Amino acid sequence: MRVLFVAGHTAGACYPLVPLAQAVRLGGHEVFVAGHEDVLPVVAAAGLPGVAISSRTLSDFLVDRGGRTVELPEPGHEHDLAVGRVFGRFAADGLDGLLALVRDWRPDRVVGVATAYAAPLAAHDGGVPYVRFATDLAEPVVHMLAAVAELGPELEKLGLYELPAPWRSVSVAPPSLRAPDAAPALPLRHIPYETQSALPPWVHPGQDRPRVLVHDHGETRPDLLEGLRELEAEIVVTGQEEGPVPPGVRAGRVPLGVAVRPGDVVVHRGRPDVVLTCLARAAAQVLLPGDPGLDEHAGRLARLGAARQVGDSAVPGAPVETEEVVAACREVLADPAYGQAAHRLRAEIHEMPLPADLVPLLTEEVVA
């Protein structure tokens, strides 16, 4: 069977999809992964064949179809609508390439991440069952509705008025973290995936003390790292080369899923793939204000006891005082309840089917 996967708009949006694509390929099926050029290095590093459907990037679509630059409104409903329209223009840009690929390669299934709104259109055009792949985190319905509005001309050409319903849906969010109104979906265990690199020797020694990992490039400011050195913990900055960090702080281009261990604390801004990787490793989290759309699942995670929120979540990307972040990390390290909650969520994840377990369900015969 031929299975076409459609990647997301960023590397982070692609990471959760990779283990399923690899499992389908290892199950003996042919796999292609389609996406915009800038995410294809992630696909290639995963050992998967990638097909470019456009050379443009997401930021190119901060310009509307009339050539006017779009200023994103302040956080709120209007902002969500504007972001959804950006996703719609992004999908429209890659649609012709995706339609051509489906017509030429003739896949038996199309599996697309939730924000790859061109995927269900190409599947419909090719008469192919469509599988929606979701993290169910930071995927608000308003984004989809605005994207559909933006895709009006493309829908009309295909004789559609809305996105076709999926044949199957898959979700990698643990049940406790899914929104109450999330659509039914086949559960799938999240397997942390990031592009790998050679590991520095400090990564693998035994755990004699917990780590506090800073996984946000905007928060590697010296004052924060100096403040974190007060803690009884090893301080690690992931995602950057060895560089200008205070003495004793570890830094390297090390995948978070490799560097983090049970009992550690990760400081970040709530990106879904990072949240899921922390949960899969039973690590507690300190959540800084993130992009709009991240605060809902960040709040659920905090209410479940596995994270501590700091700063003003109503102000996306807002800087947070060093003292507040350090105090939150100290609290999370000292209070075992955070680690216990993280372990409970990891147990939920481990009860979910592995990617290989889902392959028969995604490739079974379609009953008309």
Side-chain angles (χ1 to χ4, degrees):
M1 178 173 287
R2 290 180 168 180
V3 182
L4 173 62
F5 288 83
V6 184
H9 50 282
T10 64
C14 296
Y15 287 151
L17 183 67
V18 166
L20 181 60
Q22 291 174 327
V24 171
R25 183 171 179 272
L26 291 174
H29 304 282
E30 293 183 67
V31 167
F32 276 2
V33 182
H36 283 56
E37 279 185 4
D38 61 333
V39 301
L40 291 189
V42 172
V43 175
L48 297 165
V51 180
I53 55 175
S54 173
S55 61
R56 303 178 73 187
T57 64
L58 186 64
S59 61
D60 292 329
F61 302 98
L62 291 171
V63 175
D64 67 18
R65 297 198 192 209
R68 296 177 293 272
T69 300
V70 176
E71 296 293 337
L72 294 179
E74 292 298 314
H77 183 68
E78 292 300 319
H79 183 282
D80 290 340
L81 288 173
V83 169
R85 286 190 171 273
V86 171
F87 289 159
R89 292 191 289 274
F90 181 83
D93 174 69
L95 182 58
D96 285 346
L98 194 58
L99 290 172
L101 177 58
V102 170
R103 291 167 185 163
D104 292 344
W105 193 55
R106 302 183 65 81
D108 301 289
R109 300 286 184 274
V110 173
V111 182
V113 300
T115 54
Y117 298 112
L121 302 185
H124 170 83
D125 184 67
V128 181
Y130 162 63
V131 178
R132 178 180 184 269
F133 180 95
T135 64
D136 280 328
L137 309 176
E139 294 162 353
V141 173
V142 66
H143 283 178
M144 183 270 290
L145 295 175
V148 169
E150 186 70 31
L151 284 164
E154 288 74 22
L155 290 167
E156 185 176 357
K157 287 180 183 177
L158 296 172
L160 296 169
Y161 298 95
E162 60 184 359
L163 292 182
W167 170 66
R168 294 272 192 275
S169 291
V170 174
S171 174
V172 291
S176 293
L177 196 54
R178 296 188 82 213
D181 59 351
L186 297 169
L188 174 65
R189 186 188 305 185
H190 174 72
I191 306 296
Y193 176 83
E194 294 166 79
T195 302
Q196 300 296 309
S197 59
L199 299 177
W202 56 261
V203 172
H204 45 75
Q207 186 170 359
D208 56 347
R209 57 178 179 158
R211 285 175 176 163
V212 172
L213 300 102
V214 180
H215 192 73
D216 186 285
H217 293 179
E219 294 305 325
T220 54
R221 59 182 197 262
D223 61 306
L224 176 58
L225 298 180
E226 285 285 0
L228 291 173
R229 291 177 66 203
E230 302 172 5
L231 303 173
E232 293 296 322
E234 181 182 13
I235 309 305
V236 173
V237 178
T238 59
Q240 73 171 46
E241 302 293 351
E242 299 278 354
V245 295
V249 174
R250 306 289 195 183
R253 195 166 293 282
V254 179
L256 178 65
V258 174
V260 69
R261 308 160 302 182
D264 290 346
V265 177
V266 181
V267 180
H268 67 104
R269 291 193 180 272
R271 209 175 70 193
D273 60 306
V274 179
V275 167
L276 292 168
T277 292
C278 293
L279 295 180
R281 295 290 186 254
Q285 302 171 56
V286 170
L287 299 174
L288 309 174
D291 293 333
L294 300 181
D295 56 326
E296 184 177 347
H297 69 261
R300 289 200 299 273
L301 190 61
R303 290 190 292 275
L304 289 168
R308 170 84 152 72
Q309 289 181 283
V310 296
D312 185 355
S313 62
V315 183
V320 183
E321 293 295 329
T322 290
E323 294 76 12
E324 186 177 0
V325 180
V326 173
C329 291
R330 182 178 288 111
E331 175 189 327
V332 173
L333 287 168
D335 187 346
Y338 288 98
Q340 291 163 1
H343 274 85
R344 286 195 297 271
L345 285 165
R346 182 177 70 167
E348 281 190 24
I349 290 174
H350 281 196
E351 291 174 359
M352 300 167 77
L354 288 164
D357 299 327
L358 233 62
V359 173
L361 293 175
L362 299 183
T363 57
E364 67 183 359
E365 182 180 351
V366 179
V367 179

